[in-house]
Coordinates of all heavy atoms in Angstrom, one line a residue:
M1 N 135.6 97.1 11.2 CA 136.4 95.9 10.9 C 135.6 94.8 11.8 O 135.3 94.9 13.0 CB 137.8 95.9 11.6 CG 138.6 96.9 10.8 SD 139.0 96.5 9.0 CE 140.4 95.3 9.4
G2 N 135.3 93.7 11.0 CA 134.6 92.5 11.7 C 135.4 91.9 12.8 O 134.7 91.6 13.8
L3 N 136.7 91.7 12.5 CA 137.4 91.0 13.5 C 137.6 91.9 14.8 O 137.3 91.3 15.8 CB 138.8 91.0 13.0 CG 139.7 89.9 13.7 CD1 139.1 88.5 13.6 CD2 141.2 89.9 13.2
F4 N 137.7 93.0 14.6 CA 137.7 94.0 15.9 C 136.4 94.0 16.6 O 136.4 93.9 17.8 CB 138.0 95.4 15.4 CG 138.2 96.3 16.6 CD1 139.4 96.2 17.5 CD2 137.3 97.3 16.9 CE1 139.5 97.1 18.6 CE2 137.4 98.1 18.0 CZ 138.5 98.1 18.8
G5 N 135.2 94.0 15.8 CA 133.9 93.9 16.4 C 133.7 92.8 17.2 O 133.2 92.8 18.4
S6 N 134.0 91.6 16.7 CA 133.9 90.3 17.4 C 134.7 90.3 18.6 O 134.3 89.7 19.7 CB 134.1 89.1 16.5 OG 135.5 89.0 16.1
F7 N 135.9 90.8 18.5 CA 136.8 90.8 19.7 C 136.2 91.7 20.8 O 136.1 91.2 22.0 CB 138.1 91.3 19.3 CG 139.1 91.5 20.4 CD1 139.6 90.4 21.1 CD2 139.5 92.7 21.0 CE1 140.5 90.4 22.2 CE2 140.3 92.9 22.0 CZ 140.9 91.7 22.7
Q8 N 135.5 92.8 20.3 CA 134.9 93.7 21.3 C 133.6 92.9 21.9 O 133.5 93.1 23.2 CB 134.5 94.8 20.6 CG 135.4 96.0 20.5 CD 135.9 96.6 21.8 OE1 135.1 97.0 22.7 NE2 137.2 96.7 21.9
N9 N 133.0 92.2 21.2 CA 131.8 91.4 21.7 C 132.3 90.3 22.7 O 131.7 90.2 23.7 CB 131.0 90.7 20.5 CG 130.2 91.7 19.7 OD1 129.9 92.8 20.2 ND2 129.9 91.3 18.5
W10 N 133.4 89.8 22.3 CA 134.0 88.7 23.3 C 134.5 89.3 24.6 O 134.2 88.9 25.6 CB 135.2 88.1 22.5 CG 135.8 87.1 23.4 CD1 135.5 85.8 23.8 CD2 137.1 87.2 24.1 NE1 136.4 85.2 24.5 CE2 137.4 86.1 24.8 CE3 138.0 88.4 24.3 CZ2 138.5 86.0 25.6 CZ3 139.1 88.3 25.0 CH2 139.4 87.1 25.8
K11 N 135.0 90.5 24.5 CA 135.4 91.2 25.7 C 134.4 91.6 26.5 O 134.3 91.5 27.8 CB 136.3 92.5 25.2 CG 137.8 92.3 25.6 CD 138.6 93.5 25.1 CE 138.3 94.7 26.1 NZ 139.3 95.8 25.8
N12 N 133.3 92.2 25.9 CA 132.1 92.6 26.6 C 131.4 91.4 27.3 O 131.1 91.5 28.4 CB 131.2 93.3 25.6 CG 131.5 94.6 25.2 OD1 132.4 95.1 25.8 ND2 131.0 95.2 24.1
A13 N 131.4 90.4 26.5 CA 130.7 89.1 27.1 C 131.5 88.5 28.4 O 130.9 88.3 29.4 CB 130.7 87.9 26.0
K14 N 132.8 88.5 28.2 CA 133.7 88.2 29.3 C 133.5 89.2 30.5 O 133.3 88.7 31.7 CB 135.1 88.2 29.0 CG 135.5 87.1 27.9 CD 135.6 85.8 28.8 CE 136.9 85.6 29.5 NZ 137.2 84.3 29.9
Y15 N 133.3 90.5 30.3 CA 133.1 91.5 31.2 C 131.8 91.2 31.9 O 131.7 91.3 33.1 CB 133.2 92.9 30.6 CG 133.1 94.0 31.5 CD1 134.2 94.3 32.4 CD2 131.8 94.7 31.6 CE1 134.1 95.4 33.3 CE2 131.8 95.8 32.4 CZ 132.9 96.2 33.3 OH 132.7 97.2 34.2
E16 N 130.8 91.1 31.1 CA 129.5 90.9 31.7 C 129.4 89.7 32.7 O 128.8 89.8 33.6 CB 128.4 90.8 30.5 CG 128.2 92.0 29.6 CD 127.3 93.0 30.4 OE1 126.3 92.7 30.9 OE2 127.7 94.1 30.2
D17 N 130.0 88.6 32.2 CA 130.0 87.4 32.9 C 130.8 87.5 34.2 O 130.3 87.2 35.2 CB 130.8 86.3 32.0 CG 130.6 84.9 32.7 OD1 129.6 84.6 33.0 OD2 131.7 84.2 32.8
H18 N 131.9 88.3 34.1 CA 132.7 88.6 35.2 C 131.9 89.4 36.3 O 131.7 89.2 37.5 CB 134.0 89.3 35.0 CG 134.8 89.8 36.1 ND1 135.6 88.9 36.9 CD2 135.1 91.0 36.6 CE1 136.1 89.6 37.8 NE2 135.8 91.0 37.6
M19 N 131.3 90.5 35.7 CA 130.4 91.3 36.6 C 129.2 90.7 37.3 O 129.0 90.9 38.5 CB 129.9 92.5 35.7 CG 130.9 93.5 35.1 SD 131.7 94.4 36.4 CE 130.4 95.6 36.9
S20 N 128.6 89.8 36.6 CA 127.3 89.1 37.1 C 127.8 88.2 38.2 O 127.1 87.9 39.3 CB 126.6 88.5 36.1 OG 127.2 87.5 35.5
K21 N 128.9 87.5 38.0 CA 129.5 86.6 38.9 C 130.0 87.3 40.2 O 129.7 86.8 41.3 CB 130.7 85.9 38.2 CG 131.1 84.6 38.9 CD 132.1 83.9 38.1 CE 132.8 82.6 38.8 NZ 133.7 81.9 38.1
M22 N 130.6 88.4 40.1 CA 131.1 89.1 41.2 C 129.9 89.7 42.1 O 129.9 89.7 43.2 CB 132.0 90.3 40.8 CG 133.3 89.9 40.1 SD 134.3 89.1 41.3 CE 134.3 87.4 40.9
K23 N 128.8 90.0 41.2 CA 127.7 90.6 41.9 C 127.0 89.5 42.7 O 126.5 89.6 43.9 CB 126.7 91.1 40.8 CG 125.5 91.9 41.4 CD 124.7 92.5 40.4 CE 123.6 93.3 41.0 NZ 122.7 94.0 40.0
E24 N 126.9 88.3 42.2 CA 126.3 87.3 42.8 C 127.0 86.8 44.1 O 126.4 86.6 45.2 CB 126.4 85.9 41.9 CG 125.2 85.2 41.7 CD 125.3 84.1 40.6 OE1 125.9 83.2 40.8 OE2 124.6 84.4 39.5
E25 N 128.3 87.0 44.1 CA 129.1 86.7 45.3 C 129.4 87.8 46.1 O 130.1 87.7 47.1 CB 130.3 86.0 44.9 CG 130.2 84.6 44.1 CD 131.5 84.1 43.6 OE1 132.5 84.4 44.0 OE2 131.4 83.2 42.7
N26 N 128.9 88.9 45.6 CA 129.0 90.3 46.5 C 130.5 90.6 46.6 O 131.0 90.8 47.6 CB 128.4 90.2 47.9 CG 128.3 91.4 48.4 OD1 128.3 92.5 47.8 ND2 128.3 91.6 49.8
K27 N 131.3 90.4 45.5 CA 132.7 90.7 45.5 C 133.0 91.9 44.5 O 132.3 92.0 43.5 CB 133.5 89.5 45.0 CG 133.6 88.4 46.0 CD 134.4 87.2 45.4 CE 134.5 86.1 46.5 NZ 135.2 84.9 45.8
C28 N 133.9 92.6 45.0 CA 134.2 93.8 44.1 C 134.9 93.2 42.8 O 135.9 92.4 42.8 CB 135.2 94.7 44.9 SG 136.1 95.9 43.8
P29 N 134.3 93.8 41.6 CA 134.9 93.2 40.3 C 136.2 93.8 40.0 O 136.9 93.2 39.2 CB 133.9 93.9 39.4 CG 133.1 94.8 40.0 CD 133.2 94.6 41.5
D30 N 136.7 94.9 40.8 CA 138.0 95.5 40.5 C 139.1 94.6 41.0 O 140.2 94.4 40.4 CB 138.0 96.8 41.0 CG 137.3 97.8 40.2 OD1 136.9 97.5 39.1 OD2 137.3 99.0 40.6
C31 N 138.9 94.1 42.3 CA 140.0 93.3 42.8 C 139.6 92.0 43.2 O 140.2 91.2 43.8 CB 140.3 94.1 44.3 SG 138.8 94.1 45.3
N32 N 138.4 91.4 42.6 CA 137.9 90.1 42.8 C 137.7 89.8 44.2 O 137.8 88.6 44.7 CB 139.0 89.1 42.2 CG 138.9 89.2 40.7 OD1 138.0 89.5 40.1 ND2 140.1 89.0 40.0
G33 N 137.3 90.7 45.1 CA 137.0 90.6 46.4 C 138.2 90.5 47.4 O 137.9 90.2 48.5
R34 N 139.3 90.7 46.8 CA 140.5 90.7 47.7 C 140.5 91.9 48.6 O 141.1 91.8 49.7 CB 141.7 90.6 46.9 CG 142.0 89.2 46.3 CD 143.3 89.1 45.8 NE 143.5 90.0 44.6 CZ 143.3 89.6 43.3 NH1 143.2 88.4 42.9 NH2 143.6 90.5 42.4
G35 N 140.1 93.1 48.0 CA 140.2 94.3 48.8 C 141.6 95.1 48.5 O 141.7 96.2 49.0
F36 N 142.2 94.5 47.7 CA 143.6 95.1 47.3 C 144.0 94.8 45.9 O 143.5 93.7 45.4 CB 144.6 95.0 48.2 CG 145.0 93.4 48.4 CD1 146.0 92.7 47.6 CD2 144.3 92.7 49.4 CE1 146.2 91.5 47.7 CE2 144.7 91.3 49.6 CZ 145.7 90.7 48.7
L37 N 144.8 95.5 45.3 CA 145.2 95.2 43.9 C 146.7 94.7 44.0 O 147.4 95.1 44.7 CB 145.1 96.4 43.0 CG 143.6 97.1 42.9 CD1 143.7 98.5 42.3 CD2 142.7 96.2 42.3
I38 N 146.8 93.8 43.0 CA 148.3 93.2 43.0 C 148.9 93.7 41.6 O 148.5 93.4 40.5 CB 148.2 91.7 42.9 CG1 147.6 91.3 44.2 CG2 149.6 91.1 42.8 CD1 147.4 89.7 44.3
F39 N 150.0 94.4 41.8 CA 150.7 94.9 40.7 C 152.0 94.2 40.6 O 152.5 93.7 41.7 CB 150.9 96.4 40.7 CG 149.8 97.3 40.8 CD1 149.3 97.7 41.9 CD2 149.1 97.4 39.5 CE1 148.1 98.6 41.8 CE2 148.0 98.1 39.5 CZ 147.4 98.8 40.6
P40 N 152.6 94.0 39.4 CA 153.9 93.3 39.4 C 154.9 94.0 40.1 O 156.0 93.4 40.6 CB 154.2 93.4 37.8 CG 152.9 93.6 37.1 CD 152.0 94.3 38.1
A41 N 154.9 95.3 40.3 CA 155.9 96.1 41.0 C 155.6 96.2 42.4 O 156.3 96.9 43.2 CB 156.0 97.4 40.4
S42 N 154.6 95.5 42.9 CA 154.1 95.7 44.4 C 155.3 95.4 45.4 O 155.3 96.0 46.4 CB 152.9 94.9 44.6 OG 153.1 93.5 44.5
M43 N 156.1 94.5 45.0 CA 157.1 94.0 45.8 C 158.0 95.2 46.1 O 158.9 95.3 47.0 CB 157.9 92.9 45.4 CG 158.5 93.0 44.1 SD 159.6 91.6 43.6 CE 158.5 90.3 43.3
Y44 N 158.1 96.3 45.2 CA 159.0 97.3 45.4 C 158.4 98.5 46.2 O 159.0 99.4 46.5 CB 159.5 97.9 44.0 CG 160.1 96.8 43.3 CD1 159.5 96.2 42.2 CD2 161.4 96.4 43.6 CE1 160.1 95.3 41.3 CE2 162.0 95.3 43.0 CZ 161.4 94.8 41.7 OH 162.0 93.8 41.1
L45 N 157.0 98.3 46.5 CA 156.4 99.4 47.3 C 156.3 99.1 48.7 O 156.0 98.0 49.2 CB 154.8 99.6 46.7 CG 154.8 100.0 45.2 CD1 153.3 99.9 44.8 CD2 155.2 101.4 45.1
Y46 N 156.7 100.0 49.4 CA 156.7 100.0 50.9 C 155.4 100.4 51.4 O 155.0 100.1 52.7 CB 157.9 100.7 51.6 CG 159.1 100.1 51.2 CD1 160.0 100.5 50.0 CD2 159.7 99.0 51.9 CE1 161.1 99.8 49.7 CE2 160.8 98.4 51.7 CZ 161.6 98.8 50.5 OH 162.8 98.2 50.2
N47 N 154.7 101.3 50.8 CA 153.4 101.9 51.4 C 152.4 100.9 50.9 O 151.8 101.0 49.8 CB 153.3 103.3 50.8 CG 152.1 104.0 51.4 OD1 151.4 103.3 52.3 ND2 151.6 105.1 50.9
S48 N 151.9 100.1 51.7 CA 150.9 99.0 51.4 C 149.6 99.7 51.1 O 148.7 99.1 50.5 CB 150.8 98.0 52.4 OG 150.6 98.6 53.7
E49 N 149.4 100.9 51.7 CA 148.1 101.5 51.6 C 147.8 101.9 50.1 O 146.6 102.0 49.7 CB 148.1 102.9 52.4 CG 147.6 102.5 53.9 CD 147.5 103.9 54.6 OE1 147.0 104.8 54.1 OE2 148.1 103.9 55.7
S50 N 148.8 102.0 49.3 CA 148.7 102.4 48.0 C 148.0 101.3 47.2 O 147.7 101.5 46.0 CB 150.0 103.0 47.4 OG 150.8 101.9 47.4
L51 N 148.1 100.1 47.7 CA 147.6 98.9 47.0 C 146.2 98.7 47.2 O 145.6 97.7 46.7 CB 148.4 97.6 47.4 CG 149.9 97.7 47.0 CD1 150.6 96.5 47.6 CD2 149.9 97.7 45.3
N52 N 145.5 99.3 48.2 CA 144.1 99.2 48.5 C 143.4 99.5 47.3 O 143.6 100.4 46.6 CB 143.7 100.1 49.6 CG 143.9 99.6 51.1 OD1 144.3 98.5 51.1 ND2 143.5 100.2 52.1
C53 N 142.3 98.6 47.1 CA 141.3 98.8 45.9 C 140.5 100.1 46.2 O 139.9 100.2 47.2 CB 140.5 97.6 45.8 SG 139.3 97.8 44.5
H54 N 140.6 101.1 45.3 CA 139.8 102.2 45.5 C 138.3 102.0 45.0 O 137.5 102.8 45.5 CB 140.4 103.3 44.7 CG 141.8 103.8 45.1 ND1 142.0 104.5 46.3 CD2 143.1 103.5 44.7 CE1 143.2 104.7 46.3 NE2 144.0 104.2 45.5
G55 N 138.2 101.1 44.4 CA 136.8 100.8 43.9 C 135.9 100.3 45.0 O 134.6 100.8 45.1
C56 N 136.4 99.6 45.9 CA 135.6 99.2 47.2 C 136.2 99.6 48.4 O 135.9 99.1 49.6 CB 135.6 97.7 47.1 SG 137.2 96.9 47.1
N57 N 137.2 100.5 48.4 CA 137.7 101.0 49.6 C 138.4 100.0 50.4 O 138.4 100.1 51.7 CB 136.8 101.8 50.5 CG 136.3 103.2 49.8 OD1 137.1 103.8 49.3 ND2 135.1 103.4 49.9
G58 N 139.0 98.9 49.7 CA 139.6 97.9 50.5 C 138.8 96.7 51.2 O 139.4 95.9 51.8
T59 N 137.5 97.0 51.0 CA 136.5 96.1 51.5 C 136.4 94.7 50.8 O 136.1 93.7 51.3 CB 135.2 96.6 51.8 OG1 134.7 96.9 50.7 CG2 135.1 97.9 52.7
G60 N 136.5 94.8 49.5 CA 136.4 93.7 48.6 C 134.9 93.3 48.4 O 134.6 92.3 47.9
L61 N 134.0 94.2 48.7 CA 132.5 93.9 48.6 C 132.0 94.6 47.4 O 132.3 95.8 47.1 CB 132.0 94.4 49.9 CG 132.2 93.7 51.2 CD1 131.5 94.3 52.4 CD2 131.8 92.2 51.2
Y62 N 131.1 93.9 46.7 CA 130.5 94.5 45.6 C 129.6 95.6 46.0 O 129.4 96.7 45.2 CB 129.5 93.4 44.9 CG 128.9 93.9 43.7 CD1 129.6 93.6 42.4 CD2 127.7 94.4 43.6 CE1 128.9 94.1 41.3 CE2 127.2 95.0 42.4 CZ 127.8 94.8 41.2 OH 127.1 95.3 40.1
E63 N 128.9 95.5 47.1 CA 128.1 96.7 47.7 C 128.8 97.9 47.8 O 128.4 98.9 47.3 CB 127.6 96.4 49.1 CG 126.4 95.2 49.0 CD 126.1 94.8 50.4 OE1 126.8 95.1 51.5 OE2 125.0 94.2 50.6
E64 N 130.0 97.8 48.3 CA 130.8 99.0 48.5 C 131.3 99.6 47.2 O 131.3 100.8 47.1 CB 132.0 98.5 49.4 CG 132.8 99.8 50.0 CD 131.9 100.3 51.3 OE1 131.1 99.6 51.9 OE2 132.0 101.5 51.4
W65 N 131.6 98.7 46.2 CA 132.1 99.1 44.9 C 131.0 99.8 44.2 O 131.2 100.8 43.6 CB 132.4 97.8 44.1 CG 132.9 98.1 42.7 CD1 134.1 98.5 42.4 CD2 132.1 98.0 41.6 NE1 134.1 98.7 40.9 CE2 133.0 98.4 40.5 CE3 130.8 97.6 41.3 CZ2 132.4 98.6 39.2 CZ3 130.4 97.6 40.1 CH2 131.2 98.1 38.9
G66 N 129.8 99.3 44.4 CA 128.6 100.0 43.7 C 128.3 101.4 44.2 O 127.8 102.3 43.6
Q67 N 128.8 101.7 45.6 CA 128.5 102.9 46.0 C 129.7 103.9 45.9 O 129.6 105.1 46.4 CB 128.4 102.7 47.6 CG 127.6 101.5 48.1 CD 126.3 101.8 48.9 OE1 126.5 102.9 49.7 NE2 125.4 101.1 48.7
S68 N 130.8 103.5 45.3 CA 132.0 104.5 45.2 C 131.5 105.8 44.5 O 130.8 105.8 43.4 CB 133.0 103.8 44.4 OG 132.6 103.5 43.0
G69 N 132.0 106.8 45.0 CA 131.7 108.2 44.6 C 130.5 108.8 45.1 O 130.2 109.8 44.7
E70 N 129.8 108.1 46.0 CA 128.6 108.7 46.5 C 128.7 109.3 47.8 O 127.9 109.9 48.4 CB 127.5 107.6 46.7 CG 126.6 107.4 45.4 CD 125.6 106.5 45.6 OE1 124.7 106.8 46.4 OE2 125.4 105.4 45.0
I71 N 129.9 109.3 48.4 CA 130.2 109.8 49.8 C 130.1 111.3 49.7 O 130.8 111.9 49.0 CB 131.5 109.2 50.3 CG1 131.6 107.7 50.3 CG2 131.8 109.9 51.6 CD1 133.0 107.2 50.4
Ligands
LIG101 ZN1 137.8 96.1 45.2

């Protein structure tokens, strides 16, 4: 489907743009450099550790994100 294809292209372009921007600023693309993730239900969670970004181990750094899984 052409429509689906163009939507995928748009999504990929947005993703690439986001990734290169995050890389430039050395920010984790998963959490935008915050080091933690925000969920709508976060206010109901008491264990704040579960909100830590696993992509960057809570550091918010692109470097750290790129190394995930190498430990
Ligand atoms: Zn992160």
Side-chain angles (χ1 to χ4, degrees):
M1 298 290 277
L3 195 65
F4 183 72
S6 60
F7 177 69
Q8 278 294 315
N9 286 342
W10 175 80
K11 248 179 79 175
N12 286 344
K14 291 283 282 187
Y15 181 75
E16 296 279 319
D17 190 49
H18 176 68
M19 291 296 286
S20 61
K21 198 172 177 181
M22 293 292 105
K23 188 174 184 178
E24 229 168 70
E25 298 176 17
N26 194 23
K27 288 178 178 176
C28 168
D30 284 353
C31 59
N32 292 329
R34 284 189 299 258
F36 57 89
L37 302 171
I38 298 173
F39 296 107
S42 64
M43 60 170 69
Y44 301 111
L45 294 173
Y46 289 93
N47 184 5
S48 59
E49 276 183 46
S50 63
L51 294 175
N52 271 4
C53 177
H54 291 287
C56 60
N57 290 318
T59 61
L61 297 174
Y62 185 91
E63 287 174 345
E64 201 68 31
W65 178 81
Q67 317 238 328
S68 62
E70 273 191 65
I71 304 166

